[in-house]
């Protein structure tokens, strides 16, 4: 070995060994590169020639019996490169495509390569070398694969380095950087165009993965803010504990500290903020468990009530593990991910935390969003920080939006893949209820028609009670059950309107005109008692609305106000099932004549099946 070749070998080895390499792609593709006794042609662009030894070092560490051979031109530079890489067990095949009738040793090298492939070893080739043009496939790689009847694997690469001003923009790695090697799907009988497209795709994925490891200045700032706020978040968690909003034996989970279960494979992480999102995710959770019987699920929530809903699942404690999501502090997030090492992360609706998304991306854990929700106001707020949001949202593998408007917002913010499957809440299971309590209340109420005003907000109760009073002029036996969205308003409403309330231990009966159900988690019970229903947070601006699918799924005729901004797509889909009322008069008229208004069935959907398939395919990649 010449002095120059030795210097190149030592420096290149130092750079490659101090670079943090990650071999990406599916387990099948990675395994194919280390399979002995199976000849295979490896193709990568010429600009990655100085990075390629990292692939050899990795493959040899997995399978020591492998032998590596690489096509290198027989000119002076080619011989220098061959000398530099020979100590790593890489043997050069000197030869390249003939030009202008001049033999460059390609035929002899081809015969040698065929013998090597038939012996079950690997042969690497740069389809655009040795003189280019860059990314232009020359004859050789696909011909060698076809003659040898062995697969041709395109490999993409990206790494921290310096690009030289050569025809191929050769990349020289630098010490202590990051690098990615991304094998594409093996090709059989590929032509030049197919090989070029496959190489471009493999390199695009590798470069995207590399770009996602680089934090923007704003992401660094966010991480600093999270670290600085850690003491305050600890105090806040203790305060929530005193108020009953945290569980005493699980406070440490907010800091990423928890025992892990010995799963046979990494779990899929699903996160839902609270009760509504947990119920929304339930059919998807069931479908994933049924489709992949060996898949473990790590399910996190932000609230205790969300965790209580999940605890009712029959697979809870076996295939499903519940944790509280840690606060978005870098050290706590890393602890959490180090403990659980999920294979993928699925976020329900819009519960995205920048620090968690960034750390998942740096670990190349695919980030998926189902039932993606982004209101006009939220979209405008994100767009004010366009540079930051583009970096954040581009890290998402894909988003399955609730509807066209949400999909458009996510695309504007930089999400690469956006699906518009529809609202997952259409497929959610009916709200739970206590059947014995339902029978008891049904006996107390008798055959009276029951109007349930659900999830009402301040200012709506007056309108609803006035409309119910007018309706009783025609339907004197009408019972109105008021269910405020926030039960802590119950005492104030009970006093203002002189209403008997469930919180005070009272029950509805066969005569009272109005009853207030100011308890938590019993909406499913009162929907089943209802003859008709109104869904609140929709009568007064700005409103926003609540879930209209819940009562309609139970066959209850349902009305809402006109201010359903958070449910615009659902209102369009439910145009034949959902009635819109604007004020006291129109609500009273609907209560009197509700049986004459059309109430069609909920539209059928295969959304859960589509999402399940997409999630599992993403994990395979």
């Amino acid at each position: 070995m010449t002095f120059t070749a030795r210097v190149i070998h030592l420096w290149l080895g130092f750079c490659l060994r101090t670079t943090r390499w990650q071999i990406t792609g599916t387990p099948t593709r990675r395994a194919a590169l280390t399979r002995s006794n199976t000849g295979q042609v490896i193709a990568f662009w010429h600009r990655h020639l100085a990075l390629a030894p990292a692939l050899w070092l990795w493959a040899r560490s997995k399978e020591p019996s492998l032998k590596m051979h690489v096509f290198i031109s027989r000119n002076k530079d080619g011989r220098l490169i061959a000398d530099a890489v020979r100590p790593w067990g890489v043997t050069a095949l000197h030869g390249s495509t003939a030009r202008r009738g001049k033999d460059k040793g390609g035929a002899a090298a081809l015969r040698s390569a065929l013998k090597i492939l038939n012996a079950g070893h690997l042969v690497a080739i740069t389809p655009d070398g040795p003189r280019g043009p860059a990314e232009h496939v020359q004859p050789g790689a696909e011909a060698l694969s076809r003659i040898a009847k062995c697969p041709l694997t395109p490999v993409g690469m990206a790494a921290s380095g310096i690009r030289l001003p050569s025809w191929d923009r050769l990349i020289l790695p630098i010490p202590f950087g990051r690098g990615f090697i991304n094998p594409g799907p093996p090709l059989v009988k590929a032509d030049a165009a197919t090989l070029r497209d496959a190489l471009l795709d493999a390199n695009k994925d590798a470069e995207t993965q590399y770009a996602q490891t680089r934090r923007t200045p704003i992401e660094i700032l966010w991480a600093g803010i999270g670290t600085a706020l850690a003491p305050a978040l600890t105090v806040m968690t203790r305060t929530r504990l005193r108020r009953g909003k945290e569980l005493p034996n699980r406070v440490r989970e907010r800091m990423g500290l928890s025992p892990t279960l010995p799963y046979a494979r990494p779990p899929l992480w699903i996160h839902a903020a609270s009760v509504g999102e947990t119920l929304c995710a339930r059919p998807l959770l069931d479908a994933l468990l049924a489709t992949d019987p060996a898949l473990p699920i790590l399910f996190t929530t932000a609230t205790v009530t969300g965790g209580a809903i999940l605890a009712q699942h029959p697979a809870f404690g076996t295939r499903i593990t519940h944790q509280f999501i840690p606060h978005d502090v870098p050290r706590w997030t890393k602890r959490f991910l180090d403990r659980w090492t999920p294979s993928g992360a699925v976020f329900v609706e819009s519960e995205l935390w920048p620090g968690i998304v960034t750390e998942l991306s740096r670990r190349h854990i695919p980030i998926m969003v189902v039932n993606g929700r982004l209101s006009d106001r939220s979209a405008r707020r994100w767009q004010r920080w366009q540079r930051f949001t583009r970096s954040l949202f581009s890290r998402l593998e894909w988003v399955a939006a609730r509807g066209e408007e949400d999909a458009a917002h996510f695309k504007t913010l930089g999400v690469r893949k956006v699906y518009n499957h529809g609202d997952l809440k259409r497929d959610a299971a009916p709200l739970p209820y206590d059947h014995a309590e339902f029978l008891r209340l049904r006996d107390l109420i008798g055959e009276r028609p029951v109007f349930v005003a659900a999830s009402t907000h301040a200012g709506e109760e007056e309108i609803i009670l006035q409309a119910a009073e007018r309706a009783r002029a025609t339907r004197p036996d009408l019972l109105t059950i008021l269910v405020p969205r926030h039960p802590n308003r119950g005492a104030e409403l009970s006093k203002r309107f002189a209403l008997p309330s469930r919180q005070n231990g009272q029950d509805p009966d066969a005569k009272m005109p109005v009853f207030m159900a100011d308890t938590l988690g019993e909406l499913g019970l009162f929907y089943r008692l209802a003859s008709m229903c109104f869904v609140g947070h929709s009568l007064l601006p700005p409103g926003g609305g609540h879930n209209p699918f819940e009562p309609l799924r139970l066959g209850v005729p349902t009305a809402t106000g006109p201010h359903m901004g958070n449910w615009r797509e659902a209102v369009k889909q439910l145009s034949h099932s959902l009635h819109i009322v604007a004020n006291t008069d129109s609500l009273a008229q609907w209560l009197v004549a509700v049986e004459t208004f059309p109430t069609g069935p909920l539209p059928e959907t295969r959304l859960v099946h589509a999402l399940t398939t997409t999630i599992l395919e993403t994990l395979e990649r």
Side-chain angles (χ1 to χ4, degrees):
M1 181 186 293
T2 66
F3 175 77
T4 304
R6 183 176 295 277
V7 170
I8 292 174
H9 172 76
L10 292 174
W11 175 252
L12 192 58
F14 175 65
C15 294
L16 294 176
R17 292 180 187 278
T18 58
T19 295
R20 289 170 290 172
W21 290 98
Q22 184 160 348
I23 314 299
T24 60
T26 65
T28 303
R29 295 179 192 175
R30 295 196 299 270
L33 294 177
T34 60
R35 192 176 297 126
S36 61
N37 302 319
T38 303
Q40 189 171 178
V41 179
I42 309 297
F44 52 86
W45 294 132
H46 196 272
R47 67 173 178 267
H48 295 141
L49 201 56
L51 306 180
L55 175 60
W56 314 146
L57 294 171
W58 171 80
R60 286 291 292 271
S61 71
K62 301 294 183 183
E63 180 50 67
S65 66
L66 279 177
K67 292 185 179 179
M68 312 290 180
H69 298 77
V70 59
F71 273 89
I72 300 177
S73 62
R74 59 182 184 180
N75 57 26
K76 181 179 178 181
D77 291 340
R79 290 195 298 272
L80 182 63
I81 294 173
D83 287 344
V85 300
R86 188 179 297 115
W88 290 318
V90 181
T91 304
L93 295 171
H94 288 290
S96 56
T97 305
R99 291 176 180 265
R100 300 176 183 175
K102 185 178 180 181
D103 181 17
K104 291 181 173 285
L110 179 61
R111 288 192 295 270
S112 299
L114 289 173
K115 292 180 183 179
I116 293 164
L117 291 170
N118 289 333
H121 300 304
L122 304 182
V123 173
I125 188 169
T126 56
D128 60 342
R131 297 186 182 277
E135 298 186 353
H136 179 77
V137 174
Q138 305 286 348
E142 72 276 13
L144 177 60
S145 170
R146 188 166 53 254
I147 295 170
K149 297 180 180 179
C150 65
L152 170 60
T153 299
V155 176
M157 303 183 197
S160 308
I162 301 169
R163 287 182 179 265
L164 299 184
S166 55
W167 65 267
D168 60 348
R169 302 286 292 165
L170 182 72
I171 300 174
L172 290 181
I174 59 176
F176 307 105
R178 294 187 69 94
F180 296 88
I181 296 175
N182 178 48
L187 307 175
V188 179
K189 296 181 180 180
D191 56 20
T194 302
L195 175 57
R196 182 177 186 273
D197 290 342
L199 276 170
L200 291 175
D201 289 342
N203 278 282
K204 181 179 179 181
D205 288 344
E207 288 162 3
T208 298
Q209 291 161 349
Y210 172 71
Q212 289 175 345
T213 65
R214 302 171 66 183
R215 291 184 178 180
T216 65
I218 296 182
E219 288 170 341
I220 295 172
L221 176 62
W222 179 270
I225 292 172
T227 301
L229 289 178
L233 290 171
T234 303
V235 172
M236 181 193 75
T237 302
R238 297 292 178 184
T239 302
R240 286 172 54 85
L241 177 62
R242 289 195 297 271
R243 295 176 178 175
K245 295 184 177 182
E246 299 285 352
L247 299 179
N249 59 334
R250 299 184 63 181
V251 171
R252 287 165 58 85
E253 292 176 21
R254 300 296 191 181
M255 303 169 193
L257 292 167
S258 62
T260 55
L261 297 181
Y263 286 130
R265 59 187 271 197
L268 171 65
W269 176 21
I270 300 177
H271 174 67
S274 191
V275 173
E277 292 81 5
T278 303
L279 291 171
C280 172
R282 174 65 187 264
L284 178 61
L285 179 62
D286 292 339
L288 286 166
L289 293 173
T291 305
D292 187 345
L295 178 68
I297 302 286
L298 168 65
F299 200 108
T300 62
T301 62
T303 65
V304 173
T305 50
I309 293 293
L310 183 69
Q312 300 171 16
H313 196 285
F316 182 81
T318 53
R319 292 183 62 191
I320 300 175
T321 302
H322 175 259
Q323 293 283 286
F324 291 114
I325 191 170
H327 295 301
D328 196 12
V329 174
R331 185 159 53 98
W332 299 350
T333 299
K334 290 176 182 178
R335 273 183 199 158
F336 175 83
L337 295 177
D338 288 343
R339 277 170 160 74
W340 294 100
T341 60
S343 57
V346 177
F347 293 89
V348 182
E349 295 198 356
S350 57
E351 185 77 0
L352 294 172
W353 289 96
I356 293 175
V357 169
T358 301
E359 187 60 31
L360 284 168
S361 176
R362 287 173 61 83
R363 296 174 185 235
H364 309 290
I365 297 170
I367 309 165
M368 301 157 272
V369 178
V370 299
N371 221 49
R373 177 168 63 89
L374 207 56
S375 66
D376 294 341
R377 186 167 66 173
S378 295
R380 287 194 298 269
R381 191 179 301 134
W382 282 110
Q383 286 170 357
R384 291 174 189 168
W385 301 88
Q386 187 77 1
R387 185 177 177 184
F388 168 59
T389 56
R390 281 206 163 269
S391 171
L392 175 70
F393 283 91
S394 67
R395 297 179 185 273
L396 306 181
E397 187 76 15
W398 52 260
V399 171
R402 293 184 312 169
E404 294 179 3
E405 293 181 3
D406 295 293
H409 290 155
F410 280 109
K411 287 178 182 177
T412 301
L413 291 172
V415 179
R416 291 171 293 167
K417 290 182 183 178
V418 180
Y419 304 111
N420 181 15
H421 292 313
D423 199 326
L424 186 58
K425 289 186 177 178
R426 291 186 301 180
D427 292 338
L431 292 175
Y433 77 112
D434 184 329
H435 184 65
E437 184 65 5
F438 165 77
L439 295 177
R440 187 183 76 84
L441 293 178
R442 184 75 268 177
D443 286 342
L444 291 173
I445 294 169
E447 298 301 319
R448 302 175 63 186
V450 177
F451 166 46
V452 171
S455 300
T456 60
H457 286 243
E460 292 185 316
E461 289 86 7
E462 291 87 347
I463 298 172
I464 291 165
L465 293 177
Q466 289 172 12
E469 185 177 3
R470 293 186 190 180
R472 283 197 298 274
T474 304
R475 308 184 71 168
D477 58 345
L478 178 68
L479 167 63
T480 298
I481 298 180
L482 201 62
V483 188
R485 176 67 175 181
H486 302 105
N488 57 5
R489 297 180 59 232
E492 181 259 325
L493 292 173
S494 178
K495 182 178 180 181
R496 190 198 314 174
F497 298 112
L499 301 178
S501 76
R502 190 163 173 83
Q503 202 174 91
N504 292 333
Q506 296 165 295
D507 285 324
D509 58 32
K511 293 184 179 180
M512 70 173 56
V514 182
F515 177 74
M516 186 166 60
D518 50 351
T519 49
L520 186 65
E522 290 193 311
L523 195 52
L525 169 65
F526 291 101
Y527 275 153
R528 285 171 172 82
L529 291 168
S531 311
M532 63 209 79
C533 170
F534 172 84
V535 179
H537 198 34
S538 59
L539 274 174
L540 301 174
H546 289 296
N547 190 347
F549 293 111
E550 292 173 342
L552 287 171
R553 188 173 294 110
L554 297 170
V556 181
T558 302
T560 72
H563 304 287
M564 290 284 287
N566 293 335
W567 297 86
R568 281 196 293 260
E569 292 291 334
V571 171
K572 292 177 185 177
Q573 297 163 9
L574 299 171
S575 58
H576 297 294
S577 307
L578 189 65
H579 190 74
I580 307 299
V581 296
N583 49 40
T584 301
D585 291 338
S586 58
L587 178 55
Q589 292 169 10
W590 180 75
L591 291 174
V592 170
V594 62
E595 291 82 1
T596 66
F597 290 97
T599 303
L602 283 178
E604 294 185 2
T605 175
R606 289 183 58 80
L607 172 57
V608 169
H609 173 76
L611 285 176
T612 301
T613 301
T614 307
I615 289 170
L616 294 178
E617 287 178 350
T618 302
L619 297 183
E620 280 298 312
R621 292 198 296 269

